[in-house]
Amino acid sequence: MKRIAALDMLRGYALVGIMLDHMPIGVLRQVTLANFAVFDAAELFVLLSGFLVGMVWIKVEARKGRWVAQKRFFKRAVQVWLALVIGSLLLALLSALLFEFQLNHKAVWFQYSRWIMENPLGYLATVALMWMQPNLMDVLALYVLLIATVPVTVPFMLRFPWLALAVSLLVWWFAEPLNALIPNQRPGPGLLFNPFGWQLLFFAGVGMGAFRDRMMSALARHARLLTWVAVLIVLFSLTIAITRMIGPSAKPFALFLRGIHGPIDKWSLDGLRLISILAASWLVAMPLAPAFAWMAATGPGRALAEIGRGGLFSFVACVLLSIIGDAMGMIAPEGARGFVARLGIDIWVTVALWAAAATWMRREVWLGRK
């Protein structure tokens, strides 16, 4: 399948954003997507993942048949589950090692480092059974569940697209009570990333990938109107985000805006976050497509694309690097020197993520030489 450079670049940016957003005292986290919209890199990652699923499914089914496509995505679900287990193990061991060297960090809960040392088999069993989803790895837990349904849901979507959309919307509407039925280690109900809510965004991406040509030809007739509506939604999202950044002095205006949009819940994926990411996607795919294609051809764009192509390896690497970066940032001095040091740490973990992904993508070459 021919890869889309801008798509890989955006997926790489989503992984960098996830990494920086989980470094609490980092510098560059102040300029990530989450600061300029009501959604963040997690939505971008899930939507792009769904889009890739739709594209790949159509290609594989057309060439080798539906059964081969179903087997491919069942295997993919197992791979994501393995990445969740291995990543959670490495996360806990890294956290324990950092604490051993008196390097405090807040990116992950300190209890994981204790559990892995006190009861390693119990820790692995609870993660493998998905009874527990360590923070930072919890997006992969969501992804396991979504990918596991693909062999059944995508054929249904391809045959009955409108009915599939209606079912997805209905499940999203009742996401919170449905999530409460999932047994979990957390004190709160269900999974942190509510799969019944986030499935709507994921399958929206699948539909975009699977019906891309038909959708774009139908929507192109209303392109100007859709672009203006998308711009207004993105500007509204930006206004909410900037109002939050201003702080107490903007509280009256923030309360006014809240009266319009209501509470914004990330974990069950409320409607405003969903609509905002879809509106931004339209702008990227249509009026801004040439600009993003140009960015993907630049050096930084190619580096981000390489991170995006690293897939699960890049995700686990970004989680581990966020923990290391957080620990390094906490020992940085105060004042201007500390600011420069933390900025340097942010740049270092970003370059390290690219280097890890680039090495992984060339593993057949260096393993062959070895």
Side-chain angles (χ1 to χ4, degrees):
M1 184 184 73
K2 184 180 179 181
R3 302 198 69 97
I4 302 173
L7 191 71
D8 288 332
M9 178 188 71
L10 287 170
R11 201 163 187 235
Y13 171 77
L15 291 170
V16 172
I18 289 172
M19 179 178 66
L20 295 175
D21 284 340
H22 288 97
M23 295 168 56
I25 58 174
V27 174
L28 292 182
R29 77 188 302 267
Q30 305 301 324
V31 293
T32 58
L33 182 62
N35 295 280
F36 305 101
V38 295
F39 58 91
D40 59 28
E43 279 93 345
L44 182 58
F45 178 78
V46 171
L47 181 65
L48 291 174
S49 298
F51 187 85
L52 287 170
V53 167
M55 287 181 60
V56 171
W57 182 285
I58 291 298
K59 296 288 185 182
V60 173
E61 183 175 340
R63 293 175 182 174
K64 300 181 180 180
R66 176 162 295 178
W67 174 237
V68 174
Q70 289 174 315
K71 287 196 297 183
R72 175 167 179 158
F73 281 99
F74 176 77
K75 181 180 178 181
R76 184 61 173 171
V78 174
Q79 291 172 341
V80 178
W81 174 79
L82 284 172
L84 170 65
V85 175
I86 295 170
S88 298
L89 172 63
L90 295 175
L91 173 149
L93 290 174
L94 174 62
S95 180
L97 180 65
L98 291 171
F99 280 128
E100 182 68 21
F101 285 97
Q102 306 298 314
L103 292 171
N104 293 330
H105 49 280
K106 298 180 180 179
V108 291
W109 192 30
F110 71 93
Q111 284 288 5
Y112 303 137
S113 64
R114 293 184 178 178
W115 289 339
I116 193 63
M117 303 308 294
E118 295 170 358
N119 187 4
L121 291 179
Y123 175 85
L124 282 175
T126 54
V127 171
L129 294 171
M130 296 181 61
W131 174 261
M132 178 176 69
Q133 308 89 41
N135 63 298
L136 303 188
M137 299 300 299
D138 41 18
V139 175
L140 280 190
L142 167 70
Y143 198 33
V144 170
L145 296 176
L146 295 176
I147 290 289
T149 69
V150 162
V152 175
T153 52
V154 173
F156 179 75
M157 175 189 291
L158 294 176
R159 187 171 182 183
F160 306 107
W162 291 108
L163 180 58
L165 175 61
V167 171
S168 186
L169 283 167
L170 185 65
V171 171
W172 173 76
W173 186 261
F174 291 101
E176 292 189 35
L178 288 172
N179 191 40
L181 300 176
I182 300 179
N184 199 269
Q185 170 263 342
R186 292 179 59 249
L191 274 66
L192 183 62
F193 279 90
N194 186 337
F196 300 101
W198 283 73
Q199 56 79 28
L200 180 56
L201 179 62
F202 176 77
F203 287 115
V206 174
M208 291 177 189
F211 301 111
R212 182 171 49 152
D213 295 335
R214 277 190 281 172
M215 286 180 63
M216 296 310 293
S217 62
L219 295 175
R221 295 193 293 268
H222 312 286
R224 180 169 294 184
L225 174 62
L226 289 171
T227 297
W228 278 110
V229 171
V231 167
L232 290 175
I233 293 171
V234 169
L235 288 176
F236 183 65
S237 174
L238 175 64
T239 303
I240 295 171
I242 291 176
T243 303
R244 288 175 178 171
M245 292 171 63
I246 294 173
S249 60
K251 187 175 181 179
F253 188 59
L255 292 174
F256 169 74
L257 291 176
R258 184 181 175 87
I260 298 173
H261 60 72
I264 301 175
D265 176 23
K266 173 179 179 175
W267 309 117
S268 289
L269 190 65
D270 69 272
L272 181 59
R273 292 178 75 103
L274 174 66
I275 293 172
S276 297
I277 182 68
L278 294 178
S281 300
W282 171 263
L283 296 179
V284 169
M286 290 296 287
L288 299 178
F292 276 84
W294 174 83
M295 284 189 286
T298 63
R302 289 194 298 270
L304 287 173
E306 199 147 32
I307 294 172
R309 288 194 295 272
L312 292 173
F313 179 87
S314 292
F315 184 92
V316 174
C318 92
V319 167
L320 299 179
L321 284 167
S322 68
I323 301 170
I324 296 171
D326 180 38
M328 293 171 65
M330 292 189 71
I331 60 174
E334 297 292 332
R337 288 179 58 203
F339 177 88
V340 173
R342 289 192 296 273
L343 177 60
I345 292 166
D346 290 350
I347 295 171
W348 177 82
V349 294
T350 303
V351 173
L353 178 58
W354 166 76
T359 303
W360 174 253
M361 294 300 294
R362 294 164 178 79
R363 62 192 180 277
E364 293 182 0
V365 175
W366 61 262
L367 280 175
R369 288 176 180 172
K370 184 176 179 180

